[in-house]
Amino acid sequence: MKQLTTLSPAQRLFALLLLLLALSAGIYSGILQQRLLNPALSPLDDRANSALQRSLMLSSASFATARLIDRGIAFVSEAQVGVGVASIKPGQLLKPLQDMAVRYSDLMVLAMTSIGLQLFLLEFGKLAALPLFGTGILLSAVMLLLGPPAWRSTATYLLRIFIALLLVIRIGVPLAAFGVAELSDWVLEPQRIAAEAALSGETAALQRVDQPLQSGNEGSLSWLKQMAAQANDMFAAVKSFSDNMVEKLIQLIVVYSLQTLVFPLLSLWLLWHLGRWFVRRPLAERPAPAHTIPAVKPGTAVPGH
């Protein structure tokens, strides 16, 4: 640094241009990304990727469970039970529970979309963040060094924007994904495991009851009797877990909302505001030259005259 300060302005400008040329060669040849940046961030990328893949697998399994609940309750709701000369559908009483299962499956779709977006940003940061935003950094730096003084403010803001984008996409996104996964494992994982275990145990009866198919060797009356028996079995299975189902579904909705929507969006919001603060910081004012003569107000006597 001391040697740099002893150089003349032209020599400093030449040294900075050589540095930018070396950076551009490292970026476009792939050496800077493949030999330095990606290996250095590989542990963080691997942990973030494994955490997101695990969250995606859990969300997919929960979506399948929700659809199973919806299908089972829909079958029970359509089953008729004869009472004398009339028939009723006792499964209609479980329609609110079916609506909650549908809402839960919709939330799982949003969760999988959020996780997929984070995986895309993670891969984008590994493959294209440095070439794309590095180009913007180089062009902004050249504009700042060689452009007219009127361009310096715009060039400085552009340089800050590209630096902030590079840091947020390449480092902030995997760091946020890893941090959210660690926080979720610490705070939310016990509640999720307990709720899903109870939910899986209660829905096991639904998986064992299927709608019977009418056989050609059986009459319609025999098939209707089997249908009623299966409907009664299904209704008994649903009735046995209906008391705890609503509570477990609410717990899982809260857990997955925090894990896949609230925490990631909060981390991205914090990264956005951090980058915005970095970009919108006031520019440092250049000191006035020492030989500048202060302005004299009209009517003021000048010393020596």
Side-chain angles (χ1 to χ4, degrees):
M1 292 297 297
K2 292 182 179 180
Q3 295 179 353
L4 186 61
T5 55
T6 58
L7 298 176
S8 64
Q11 291 175 335
R12 285 200 298 268
L13 177 61
F14 182 72
L16 291 174
L17 290 176
L18 285 180
L19 178 61
L20 292 178
L21 183 62
L23 286 176
S24 62
I27 290 174
Y28 295 118
S29 65
I31 296 176
L32 191 60
Q33 177 172 274
Q34 299 175 4
R35 302 290 181 88
L36 295 176
L37 188 60
N38 284 353
L41 297 177
S42 179
L44 179 61
D45 293 336
D46 293 340
R47 292 184 179 183
N49 186 72
S50 61
L52 291 175
Q53 292 289 348
R54 178 172 173 270
S55 298
L56 183 61
M57 180 185 64
L58 292 176
S59 300
S60 302
S62 298
F63 175 78
T65 301
R67 299 309 299 171
L68 174 64
I69 296 171
D70 180 30
R71 182 175 63 87
I73 296 177
F75 173 58
V76 172
S77 299
E78 296 301 324
Q80 297 183 0
V81 178
V83 180
V85 296
S87 61
I88 60 174
K89 294 182 178 181
Q92 293 292 334
L93 299 175
L94 301 178
K95 276 291 185 180
L97 189 59
Q98 183 183 14
D99 293 339
M100 180 166 289
V102 172
R103 301 294 184 273
Y104 179 61
S105 63
D106 293 340
L107 178 64
M108 290 303 99
V109 173
L110 291 177
M112 289 186 288
T113 304
S114 173
I115 296 170
L117 178 60
Q118 294 177 67
L119 286 171
F120 168 76
L121 290 177
L122 186 63
E123 292 299 322
F124 174 80
K126 291 169 59 176
L127 298 176
L130 184 60
L132 181 62
F133 301 128
T135 301
I137 291 173
L138 292 175
L139 293 177
S140 301
V142 171
M143 186 187 303
L144 182 62
L145 292 175
L146 302 180
W151 293 4
R152 288 176 181 172
S153 177
T154 303
T156 302
Y157 279 118
L158 288 176
L159 182 62
R160 290 180 179 182
I161 288 173
F162 287 118
I163 292 176
L165 288 174
L166 179 61
L167 293 177
V168 168
I169 297 298
R170 189 61 189 93
I171 300 177
V173 170
L175 187 62
F178 174 69
V180 167
E182 291 294 319
L183 181 62
S184 300
D185 290 342
W186 178 45
V187 178
L188 303 175
E189 190 67 11
Q191 288 84 353
R192 185 195 64 80
I193 293 176
E196 287 194 344
L199 195 63
S200 299
E202 296 292 345
T203 54
L206 288 176
Q207 301 180 33
R208 294 192 295 267
V209 181
D210 295 323
Q211 182 175 355
L213 298 177
Q214 183 177 4
S215 175
N217 298 327
E218 298 179 351
S220 299
L221 182 61
S222 176
W223 180 80
L224 288 175
K225 289 181 179 179
Q226 292 182 9
M227 186 75 174
Q230 290 282 37
N232 290 331
D233 293 340
M234 178 69 76
F235 178 74
V238 174
K239 195 65 177 176
S240 66
F241 72 84
S242 60
D243 295 336
N244 296 326
M245 181 68 74
V246 173
E247 180 184 357
K248 301 306 178 185
L249 284 177
I250 290 176
Q251 290 180 1
L252 288 175
I253 286 174
V254 172
V255 167
Y256 279 105
S257 296
L258 292 174
Q259 183 177 1
T260 61
L261 296 175
V262 177
F263 287 167
L265 290 177
L266 181 61
S267 62
L268 292 177
W269 181 82
L270 291 175
L271 290 174
W272 165 259
H273 278 272
L274 184 62
R276 185 181 179 186
W277 169 83
F278 174 76
V279 171
R280 301 184 66 176
R281 287 185 308 155
L283 298 177
E285 296 183 359
R286 292 178 173 272
H291 61 275
T292 301
I293 301 176
V296 180
K297 296 181 179 180
T300 303
V302 180
H305 290 77

